Amino acid sequence: MKLNKFIVACVLMLAGIVFADATSTASAPAAPAPTASATSDSQSTKPASQAVSLEPQASAADVAFSKGFVSIEGGEMYPFGDLIDAVNNAFYGGLGFRYAYMEHVDGFVLFNYAYFTPYPEGLKIDGVHQFTGKLGVDWRWSAIRPLALGVGFACSWTRADFDDEKITENSFHDDLGGTLTDNETEFGWFVRANLPFLYKDKFTVGLNVLWEEIWTLPERSNMLSVGVYVERRLW
């Protein structure tokens, strides 16, 4: 009987403790909500890498044509493949225009002229005038600055250096493949490396190394061009 009374007393004691704890929890005041200033302070303590930038980013429309450059270039062209046995190396000269196209990317247009003579000397083949237009883009990768890598399309217009009035009936010009008796236009593609190395006010001096493939038949025509340019900023 005494044991039963002791058990009942323990149960009542535990029930009282639980009831008292529940009452104190319900009556405890709620934690105050953070104020606007506290929220602002906590956000201001975030590292810069986690902070959200509110500055407007430059769009492609803002970058395009924001800068413009004009250049003059001169160098030498080296034939590759079957052309090595057909023509000699030739000097070339040309003009160029470069402009900002998008962030880290520039567009450019090049116009070059070269005169090729036959190889070997004394071969009965006329020299060839060649005008070339190129349209491409340069990628200015930050890891290899100031070197820029470019790619684009090329159009080559050629004509043999001969005079119709001086051709005789027995001339080699009448032979098949003797000369270009009309304008010849071919298309192709190219890659280039553009390395500026000297800066002075609005002027830049650089090296342009360009490899191109012209889609001639029956074989493709390949050329390597190495030249130095002087560029001036217009705006």
Side-chain angles (χ1 to χ4, degrees):
M1 188 66 177
K2 292 182 179 180
L3 181 61
N4 293 336
K5 290 181 178 180
F6 177 76
I7 293 174
V8 171
C10 290
V11 171
L12 292 175
M13 184 180 298
L14 290 176
I17 294 173
V18 172
F19 178 78
D21 182 67
T23 305
S24 63
T25 302
S27 60
T35 62
S37 60
T39 304
S40 176
D41 293 341
S42 64
Q43 290 181 352
S44 63
T45 58
K46 288 185 177 181
S49 59
Q50 297 181 4
V52 179
S53 175
L54 300 179
E55 297 181 0
Q57 300 295 325
S59 64
D62 296 331
V63 177
F65 291 98
S66 61
K67 298 178 182 179
F69 307 82
V70 64
S71 64
I72 183 171
E73 181 178 342
E76 191 169 8
M77 302 181 70
Y78 305 93
F80 270 70
D82 294 339
L83 288 181
I84 294 178
D85 299 326
V87 295
N88 294 305
N89 300 343
F91 293 104
Y92 75 91
L95 300 173
F97 176 71
R98 182 171 64 89
Y99 57 93
Y101 181 64
M102 56 188 300
E103 190 174 5
H104 305 306
V105 177
D106 292 342
F108 63 88
V109 182
L110 302 175
F111 295 97
N112 296 334
Y113 167 78
Y115 181 80
F116 290 94
T117 57
Y119 177 83
E121 301 293 341
L123 192 65
K124 290 185 177 181
I125 297 178
D126 293 313
V128 176
H129 299 280
Q130 176 177 283
F131 296 88
T132 304
K134 297 181 176 70
L135 177 65
V137 292
D138 277 340
W139 178 38
R140 300 187 175 279
W141 186 23
S142 58
I144 58 175
R145 282 182 180 271
L147 180 67
L149 303 178
V151 64
F153 293 98
C155 178
S156 179
W157 177 89
T158 58
R159 183 173 177 83
D161 182 20
F162 77 101
D163 189 345
D164 293 331
E165 297 178 358
K166 297 181 180 179
I167 297 178
T168 63
E169 293 182 358
N170 297 324
S171 172
F172 72 92
H173 296 87
D174 295 330
D175 298 337
L176 182 63
T179 189
L180 289 174
T181 57
D182 197 359
N183 300 333
E184 182 77 13
T185 303
E186 302 289 349
F187 295 91
W189 73 285
F190 67 90
V191 293
R192 81 164 186 171
N194 176 16
L195 179 61
F197 57 83
L198 183 61
Y199 303 90
K200 179 65 175 178
D201 297 330
K202 293 184 178 181
F203 293 90
T204 302
V205 179
L207 179 68
N208 187 26
V209 180
L210 187 147
W211 181 88
E212 63 181 311
E213 180 183 74
I214 303 299
W215 301 322
T216 54
L217 293 176
E219 300 292 340
R220 299 291 189 260
S221 299
N222 300 311
M223 286 280 183
L224 175 68
S225 303
V226 180
V228 176
Y229 65 86
V230 178
E231 183 180 72
R232 185 186 188 279
R233 181 170 179 174
L234 299 178
W235 66 81

